[in-house]
Amino acid sequence: MRHASHPVLSCSESNEWERGLMKSDDQGWSAMRRVGRKLASAICSDFSMTRLPQRDWRVLALVGKGNNGGDALLAIRELLKMPRKISDVTLIFSSPVSDLKPLARKAYELIAESEALRTLDPAGMEEGDWLALVDSVLHQGPYELCIDGLLGMQFKPPLRGGSGVLIEKVNALRCIGLRVAVDLPSGTGDSSDERPFRADITYATGVFKSPLLKNEACGMIRYLDVGFFEEDRESVCRVITDTVLDPLRAFRPASADKRSYGHLLVLAGSRSMPGALAMSVKAASRSGVGLVTVLAPESIAGRFAASLPEAMWRSWPETPEGGLALEGIWQVQTLASKATALLAGPGMGQERETRTMLQELGRMWEKPVLLDADALQPEIVQAFTAGGNEGVVVTPHDGEFWRLSGRKDSSLEAIAGYAEDRKLVLIKKGSCTRVSRGDLTCVCPTGNAVLARGGSGDLLAGLAAGLMAQRPDDCFVAACQAVYWHGRAADVWAMKNGQHAARTTDLLDFLSPALDSGESWNPHSPVERPTGS
């Protein structure tokens, strides 16, 4: 994963790394300009997930004297170049403009003459008078966009003076459409204040910093790669980059046939929960896998065979309640030699006989397997890993992970520790999904709240299992590809349609456009919404 990820560093490590890269003002200015361009582009893309006005924005910017302030100012400069994007900008400086550091001053001078600009400079004002002026300006909203560029990674708590009061006032303001933070929300760092700026989106600029994973004030987290890691750096935690999808973008050879891309076996579903099975199979069929064989309860297998004919459907004996009966396990034994991976769990229910069947299957299965949903039981995971199978992948959300691990702790340390102890790959779903194999944990910077819907985990399970079937030699990489692709599809979907009115299965139609490279995808281009089921 080194070629498709960058290190996650603490603020102190990031500061040291950046000092080594930028030894002159020219190098620092070049990096700041790259950040400004990428930040403006990312803000436009992510703002399009809202159904708020996409033109004539009123922008509020909180500007500090250091590099974060300079980054924010250069992003505003880029936004001002866009036709009809910004109607006016209010800059609120936390200290006198005359105190700006050289690069931030240079950035301010580039936009200082803009007619769209209003600057609140505290120079020569008593703190009380300045805060009263700020208060009156804040209530002249609404503002479509608020950019936080006050404090950077060298912050040490507590928030002091006017900055703390300003952040408190802006946090309480209801007339802001989207709140974004540059690099880190002001008030967060290796040590954080209890009341930092509360962002909807935080853009990690250049280096993905570990405090982003510990503070809910960060909101949705995006990583802006500006070329800081042409020379890599060791780290046990890394952020996945867009190049992880490059193998899926490549041309497939003309000599390939369906057997060249794996054979996925799906064991899932029950009479009472057929939808999870259908969604996981639909996603698997979009993963690029060559063959999919589904073992489903006999009461639903025939019906789904007609609606999802790409897969090969086989009926499994049912329990009286409609679950998968133990007596059908011989079918897996028959198909095991042909399959390259197994998906088990979606919609299976919690019947004792079904769980016993999965335990028996775990003791004999030696190939890659993804356990999801109802298969995420400690005794089932133990059965699949006890024989030394290192191709086991589990996909819990917080509640399921607590059940598996036996404690309510979803920290990076807890995730890595569980994966290391069980010798498996863990996809811990949630905001900024983590993928861990114990010695290495990767963080996914794609995805948004549209995935907070029933069924999105079933789609991820099918997608990941399909990728595992194609590369059974490295389930960790397949898992990283799946979470990044799944999240990116959700981002493309939301950029075109918003986050609110959509069905979970709509995501499937955006898997293909999500493979467009990060540089070529433009959510504002006149691309029609994909169609299909």
Side-chain angles (χ1 to χ4, degrees), residues 58 88-92 114 116-120 137 140 143:
R58 300 190 68 219
D88 63 81
V89 180
T90 299
L91 302 179
I92 303 180
S114 171
L117 209 65
R118 174 171 57 168
T119 299
L120 272 64
V137 168
Q140 292 172 20
Y143 297 97

Side-chain angles (χ1 to χ4, degrees), residues 218-399:
C218 299
M220 188 169 76
I221 304 169
R222 293 289 189 245
Y223 173 54
L224 305 183
D225 176 12
V226 294
F228 282 3
F229 292 104
E230 293 180 3
E231 178 183 338
D232 199 13
R233 186 188 190 283
E234 293 290 338
S235 178
V236 296
C237 183
R238 300 176 72 86
V239 59
I240 304 170
T241 62
D242 190 71
T243 53
V244 76
L245 297 182
D246 283 352
L248 310 184
R249 296 171 172 134
F251 190 79
R252 286 187 163 187
S255 59
D257 69 11
K258 58 190 176 185
R259 296 167 189 81
S260 304
Y261 296 103
H263 186 168
L264 176 65
L265 196 60
V266 179
L267 178 61
S270 61
R271 190 192 309 150
S272 61
M273 290 187 290
L277 167 64
M279 287 189 283
S280 61
V281 174
K282 284 183 177 181
S285 70
R286 300 287 187 104
S287 71
V289 69
L291 294 164
V292 179
T293 296
V294 186
L295 301 167
E298 54 194 4
S299 63
I300 62 175
R303 173 159 44 98
F304 280 167
S307 60
L308 296 169
E310 299 91 344
M312 296 172 283
W313 292 82
R314 297 184 60 154
S315 296
W316 188 283
E318 292 183 21
T319 65
E321 292 78 17
L324 297 168
L326 178 60
E327 65 183 282
I329 200 168
W330 64 269
Q331 295 198 66
V332 180
Q333 296 170 316
T334 301
L335 294 167
S337 62
K338 299 178 180 179
T340 54
L342 169 68
L343 165 61
M348 293 181 77
Q350 296 294 325
E351 284 190 66
R352 177 177 295 181
E353 183 174 345
T354 302
R355 290 169 66 165
T356 299
M357 179 272 293
L358 280 178
Q359 287 180 263
E360 291 296 319
L361 176 59
R363 296 185 184 100
M364 66 178 69
W365 186 262
E366 298 177 344
K367 294 182 178 181
V369 56
L370 187 144
L371 302 175
D372 181 58
D374 296 320
L376 295 175
Q377 306 295 333
E379 66 276 14
I380 293 173
V381 174
Q382 171 66 20
F384 275 92
T385 57
N389 183 355
E390 295 188 3
V392 178
V393 178
V394 296
T395 60
H397 53 57
D398 272 336

Side-chain angles (χ1 to χ4, degrees), residues 30-58:
S30 177
M32 187 175 284
R33 290 183 64 189
R34 293 197 300 274
V35 169
R37 286 192 294 268
K38 292 222 170 190
L39 188 56
S41 176
I43 288 172
C44 287
S45 295
D46 290 328
F47 194 94
S48 67
M49 293 186 187
T50 75
R51 298 296 89 181
L52 297 169
Q54 301 293 307
R55 289 289 183 268
D56 299 325
W57 296 349
R58 300 190 68 219

Side-chain angles (χ1 to χ4, degrees), residues 36-262:
R37 286 192 294 268
K38 292 222 170 190
L39 188 56
S41 176
I43 288 172
C44 287
S45 295
D46 290 328
F47 194 94
S48 67
M49 293 186 187
T50 75
R51 298 296 89 181
L52 297 169
Q54 301 293 307
R55 289 289 183 268
D56 299 325
W57 296 349
R58 300 190 68 219
V59 177
L60 178 68
L62 314 182
V63 185
K65 63 183 180 180
N67 287 350
N68 275 34
D71 293 339
L73 291 167
L74 288 181
I76 290 168
R77 180 182 183 233
E78 296 298 321
L79 292 172
L80 285 168
K81 294 178 184 178
M82 299 179 183
R84 304 187 308 282
K85 181 64 72 176
I86 289 181
S87 60
D88 63 81
V89 180
T90 299
L91 302 179
I92 303 180
F93 286 87
S94 60
S95 56
V97 172
S98 58
D99 290 347
L100 290 176
K101 293 184 178 179
L103 295 183
R105 175 182 292 276
K106 190 172 182 179
Y108 176 63
E109 288 171 350
L110 290 177
I111 63 171
E113 301 304 317
S114 171
E115 294 180 358
L117 209 65
R118 174 171 57 168
T119 299
L120 272 64
D121 184 351
M125 298 182 68
E126 295 291 333
E127 185 174 284
D129 293 336
W130 178 70
L131 289 174
L133 175 61
V134 166
D135 200 50
S136 86
V137 168
L138 291 180
H139 288 88
Q140 292 172 20
Y143 297 97
E144 278 71 35
L145 176 66
C146 176
I147 302 176
D148 166 32
L150 272 181
L151 303 171
M153 61 182 168
Q154 298 186 56
F155 168 79
K156 291 181 174 55
L159 285 165
R160 296 175 178 86
S163 292
V165 177
L166 177 57
I167 289 170
E168 186 176 352
K169 287 179 178 293
V170 173
N171 282 345
L173 204 62
R174 294 182 177 274
C175 59
I176 296 174
L178 188 71
R179 303 163 190 259
V180 305
V182 179
D183 203 36
L184 288 164
S186 291
T188 61
D190 287 339
S191 297
S192 299
D193 192 88
E194 293 179 355
R195 293 176 294 177
F197 179 85
R198 299 196 67 83
D200 296 308
I201 309 173
T202 297
Y203 295 99
T205 55
V207 181
F208 193 107
K209 298 165 184 70
S210 56
L212 293 169
L213 302 174
K214 302 173 183 178
N215 201 314
E216 291 183 358
C218 299
M220 188 169 76
I221 304 169
R222 293 289 189 245
Y223 173 54
L224 305 183
D225 176 12
V226 294
F228 282 3
F229 292 104
E230 293 180 3
E231 178 183 338
D232 199 13
R233 186 188 190 283
E234 293 290 338
S235 178
V236 296
C237 183
R238 300 176 72 86
V239 59
I240 304 170
T241 62
D242 190 71
T243 53
V244 76
L245 297 182
D246 283 352
L248 310 184
R249 296 171 172 134
F251 190 79
R252 286 187 163 187
S255 59
D257 69 11
K258 58 190 176 185
R259 296 167 189 81
S260 304
Y261 296 103

